[in-house]
Amino acid sequence: MVGDCMILTRRIPRELAKNKIRSLSILILIVIGFGITFGGIIGNDSIIHTVEKYQVESNAEDGEFTTLSPLDDEVLSMLEDHGVNAEKAFYTDITLNSDSTLRVFRNRNSINTMIVDEGNAPIQNNDIAIEKHYAADNSIKIGQTIEVGGHEYTVNGLGSVPDYNLVIANPADLAADPETFGIAFVNEDMFTTLLEAGDTAFVFNYTYVNDGSLSDAEVKEILAEEAALGLFLQKDANNRMTEYASELTVTNNATLVFGVVFCILMAYVLVVFVQNDIEKESGIIGTFYSLGYTRPELVRHYIYLPVLLVIAATIIGILVGIAIGVPLLTADSIAYYSLPALELCYAPAYLAYGLIVPPLTTIIVCIISVTRKLSATPLALLRKKPSSTSRNKITELPVKDAIGILRFRQFTKEIRGNLIMIFGLLVSIFLLVMSTSLWGSLVHYVEISDSTVPYDYQYSVSTPPISVPKGATEAIVKKLSVYSSQADQYYDVIVLGLPADNPYYPLNNLSADSQVYVSDSLIAKLGITSASKFDLTDTLTGRQYQIEAVGEYEAPTGLYAFMDINNLRELLDFEEGYYNTLLSNDSLALDASYVLSTTTTDDIKKAAENMLENRGMMIGILMIGAVIIFIVVIYLLLKAMIDRSTYNISLLKILGYNKRELSKIYLGTSFYSVLISTAVAILFGRFMMNYLFPYFTAHLSVSIQVYIYPYMYALIIAIIFASYLIINTLLKRLLKRVSLVEILKDMD
Amino acid sequence: MYITLKDVSKSYAADNNSTLVLNNITTKFDKGTISLILGPSGSGKSTLLNVIGGLDTIDKGIIQVEGMDISSLPAKELVTYRRNKIGFIFQLYNLVPDLTVRENILVCKHLTKSSLDVDELLDILEMTPHARKFPHQLSGGQQQRCAVARALVKNPSVLLCDEPTGALDYKSSKELLVLLESINRKYKTTAIIVTHNEALKGMAHHIIKLKDGAIRQDYANETLTPAIELEW
């Protein structure tokens, strides 16, 4: 059996050279498809891997807490006895100019140690190491002297720390702005000097690493008994440390879907070409059968080329994805999150996917289709009458002129070819609709994000003032989790405790303690009704609360449950009068010492904009990739139809038909195929996104609805038809190149 | 007898009509002879060749080749039969366009264990100078010689030729016939040639004339004329 393989495989390089435009188009198609898929997946994976590795190297915290005064050493020793190693991470916020605040820490020794990208950690008393994005945005360079809180420091290091991947002042803040807020580190002596001088207010923050003997809830319990505990935050609930990953999942999931759909499209296009080749060579195949070749031998021969092409293109695609895709697609995330240098991570599962699944898909699909195609009898093949050839059966045509008759005959003869093209276009337009809807939905999310809450200011307060300031509404904000059986995961739900007669979400109609109103976004995310019972879980303590939704309020993006503040106090064992938030439509003049964070509608919008910006490149690449894939697919499939008709084209040329007439006959009907495909694919794509989008956004604790703006539909249609026009022009040239002697080849 | 056909009938059904293409054919072909099947278009001569070669089935009757009834063989064994015993030459050469002459011949060499030497065949067929050429670089006659070599390389005991000169000019046709004659002599191959050219009768040991699917004449040719001397 080796003999035939050895000889027939010699055809492969010659076939590639003979059909170089086709081979190159398929190669480009696969390289782009898998370049995007693997660039996206490996890029996202690399970010996650880099952070995870960095957290191990830097001994990242398991949690952190603040106290109103420094803890006694005995408390720290007691914690250590319980396997909890806590380290001081005191800090002071120093305003450098009216717009910029630098949070100064003591250089860390054991927990959350700094990864220095450039320079060193602070050694001398006047050394300062600065978070790299803050330094970049404020044009601070190594060796430069800067004044911080009246002291002059020499910048001797730039880097990042794992507890501030997202450099925000407060964990409740929504967006980082490295121009106005950053973190810095001075050496121990210098920090002690600053602390003892007491020129600025210090926050007594501690970070801890837990060996697991105690749960985080037990750690919190001990601390609450021993000290006046302020903030307590376990790692998983710390947005500074976890935000990067949840954002990545949107495009990661979209990229996976893109890859799967592309794999189907690729196999489909290859099958079309293999079948075309077989039809062209039916006489040769018939002869081989006559001489004793078996079907498996020929099947093997005809799948060699597509499989080798796929293997080569996939490898190139992966390399392109790594070399170009990864840096391009991770650039926005790296620019936004404070991470050390990206370390490429080639997850074996993805590489296996890349190297096995596409060739395997091609092998399986080709074996099935080629076997079917080669199942014709030797005589049928010798007579060049493959079973699948469409036969015109209509004898009376609705058109009478020659062009019309030929066009009609061509269309009926190529009904199968047109259906093949329609399916190919459906899949490639679907990729375009998918990436556009990703873009549209995030743009829409940004647009409506500032209308998600009816108040303009939300103040998180540490110690409530005795009386609620005028114009403000007291509230309790408590983040709990809800399990979604649909997505098989937990989402963060903001339980907002409000006075019954509050101006934002009136709660007068609640009759039972456990009753709540829920946001329409929560209903959409969980797939529940506005009258259903569900459980909320405190992930820190494990406590569960059964809640009954009795109505809904509009909140386009946020996952909220609105509860009477007194009922919530009772539910969570808060004392009477307790609140941790003030809501207002106007700015409040509050004592800064107890304001933990201020969130305005602008902040909410900015956070949404950041998500769009960070994912923008990936979405853009998906869209560009989808457009190129569409162009290549329409070119290949239209060309395949022309290739099947070269004999007839040659004949008509001999009979004296001109270029315009030939275009009308052979390219005219394809316009309708593109039109039908466009209409169906847009409707189908939009419909499918209702099911896919919840999967894309499954890890986000916000609700993002699928949205495509009318101008985006217009853009999709414009792209499709502009591409079609370009391809049509190219194919007219191809028609021109069909030789008059083509007709003679069949006589050889 | 080497090949025996007894009461072989075959009909094709098309558009609810049945056309009898072979009607009770009974004949035999001796080993190492050249047989000619003559007849007008539609007389059933190609069908007769195809059923002997196992490319088509029959409705009734028996076809025996070397004592083996091939009419009852399942499809898989028919492939083995063709592989081991049959060499086909068609009017259309059906060469693989992107393989050279030598490669086109080599493609079939592995099909049997007793295959012939490719270089020797190229020599006999006077194709050695063209061994590295692709089909599109050859004349029709040269392409057909390549197709003959491809059929012969597996050393078949039966060579079935369906209008082998149909697409060739006079000179090339004659050269091909001389070649078939010399192959028959050298390798003792049983050759059955389908043609509508009555002038070829002289070179055949055995002549069958078909009309409307039935044998009108079936006789042995006592006075052979060398192919080179044939005129038409």
Side-chain angles (χ1 to χ4, degrees), chain A residues 198-257:
Chain A
D199 294 338
T200 53
F202 277 78
V203 174
F204 305 112
N205 188 56
Y206 292 84
T207 53
Y208 69 86
V209 174
N210 189 352
D211 73 358
S213 308
L214 294 180
S215 68
D216 290 319
E218 286 167 330
V219 174
K220 187 183 179 186
E221 217 168 282
I222 290 173
L223 286 165
E225 282 168 18
E226 298 296 332
L229 190 62
L231 178 82
F232 184 92
L233 201 60
Q234 76 268 38
K235 181 183 167 184
D236 292 344
N238 188 348
N239 278 349
R240 292 182 189 128
M241 301 178 78
T242 58
E243 182 65 16
Y244 77 95
S246 58
E247 201 181 272
L248 291 178
T249 57
V250 179
T251 42
N252 200 50
N253 291 346
T255 309
L256 282 172
V257 171

Side-chain angles (χ1 to χ4, degrees), chain A residues 534-578:
Chain A
F534 55 94
D535 289 338
L536 291 174
T537 309
D538 187 332
T539 51
L540 179 65
T541 61
R543 275 181 71 181
Q544 280 202 335
Y545 309 98
Q546 201 184 48
I547 299 294
E548 184 190 356
V550 291
E552 67 177 84
Y553 277 119
E554 199 179 315
T557 63
L559 308 185
Y560 288 105
F562 308 101
M563 195 176 206
D564 183 288
I565 192 165
N566 290 321
N567 292 341
L568 187 59
R569 283 174 186 139
E570 205 170 305
L571 190 75
L572 302 175
D573 299 330
F574 289 135
E575 61 198 46
E576 204 183 323
Y578 171 84

Side-chain angles (χ1 to χ4, degrees), chain B residues 58-228:
Chain B
I58 54 173
D59 299 337
K60 75 178 188 69
I62 293 171
I63 302 172
Q64 283 190 325
V65 179
E66 283 186 326
M68 177 174 64
D69 181 3
I70 65 154
S71 47
S72 58
L73 287 181
K76 203 173 171 184
E77 285 178 39
L78 272 178
V79 174
T80 312
Y81 160 71
R82 289 201 299 268
R83 196 174 180 117
N84 293 334
K85 295 194 184 311
I86 305 294
F88 262 107
I89 300 165
F90 300 100
Q91 183 179 346
L92 299 179
Y93 327 125
N94 289 328
L95 299 174
V96 183
D98 35 26
L99 290 182
T100 62
V101 167
R102 194 168 200 284
E103 289 164 349
N104 261 294
I105 301 167
L106 271 173
V107 155
C108 286
K109 185 172 163 60
H110 75 284
L111 294 173
T112 54
K113 285 176 187 157
S114 56
S115 58
L116 303 177
D117 182 73
V118 174
D119 292 322
E120 189 188 324
L121 262 178
L122 282 166
D123 232 18
I124 292 167
L125 296 168
E126 295 174 6
M127 289 294 285
T128 307
H130 308 293
R132 286 170 173 274
K133 287 183 183 168
F134 289 98
H136 68 91
Q137 296 169 308
L138 304 174
S139 68
Q142 288 164 338
Q143 287 190 56
Q144 188 61 301
R145 270 189 276 159
C146 180
V148 171
R150 179 179 60 186
L152 280 177
V153 73
K154 25 177 230 163
N155 197 11
S157 47
V158 181
L159 189 62
L160 302 175
C161 314
D162 192 356
E163 301 274 14
T165 59
L168 301 179
D169 57 30
Y170 174 78
K171 186 172 171 278
S172 302
S173 297
K174 204 158 193 181
E175 283 169 0
L176 187 82
L177 294 170
V178 170
L179 187 69
L180 289 175
E181 194 180 57
S182 66
I183 287 163
N184 167 256
R185 237 177 272 135
K186 183 171 170 64
Y187 297 110
K188 306 290 176 218
T189 312
T190 307
I192 304 175
I193 303 170
V194 161
T195 181
H196 58 267
N197 188 350
E198 296 256 351
L200 307 192
K201 282 191 294 189
M203 69 177 282
H205 303 96
H206 172 205
I207 292 135
I208 295 171
K209 274 193 173 181
L210 289 180
K211 196 180 175 193
D212 298 331
I215 293 178
R216 301 295 177 199
Q217 286 183 341
D218 186 347
Y219 61 96
N221 181 15
E222 303 297 335
T223 50
L224 287 175
T225 309
I228 192 77

Side-chain angles (χ1 to χ4, degrees), chain A residues 4 28 49 63 77 83 94 145 181 213 228 253 273 310 315 321 347 353 362 413 422 493 519-520 523-525 723 747:
Chain A
D4 63 318
I28 289 170
H49 164 79
S77 302
I94 298 172
T145 303
F181 180 80
S213 308
N253 291 346
F273 280 98
V310 167
I315 291 171
Y353 170 90
T362 311
K413 184 184 149 219
I422 288 173
V493 173
S519 63
D520 49 358
I523 290 172
K525 192 90 176 177
S723 311
M747 304 305 292

Side-chain angles (χ1 to χ4, degrees), chain A residues 418-440:
Chain A
N418 277 293
L419 289 175
I420 285 170
M421 190 171 74
I422 288 173
F423 181 78
L425 295 186
L426 275 180
V427 179
S428 50
I429 295 172
F430 171 75
L431 292 178
L432 195 58
V433 174
M434 188 185 91
S435 44
T436 308
S437 69
L438 208 58
W439 173 40

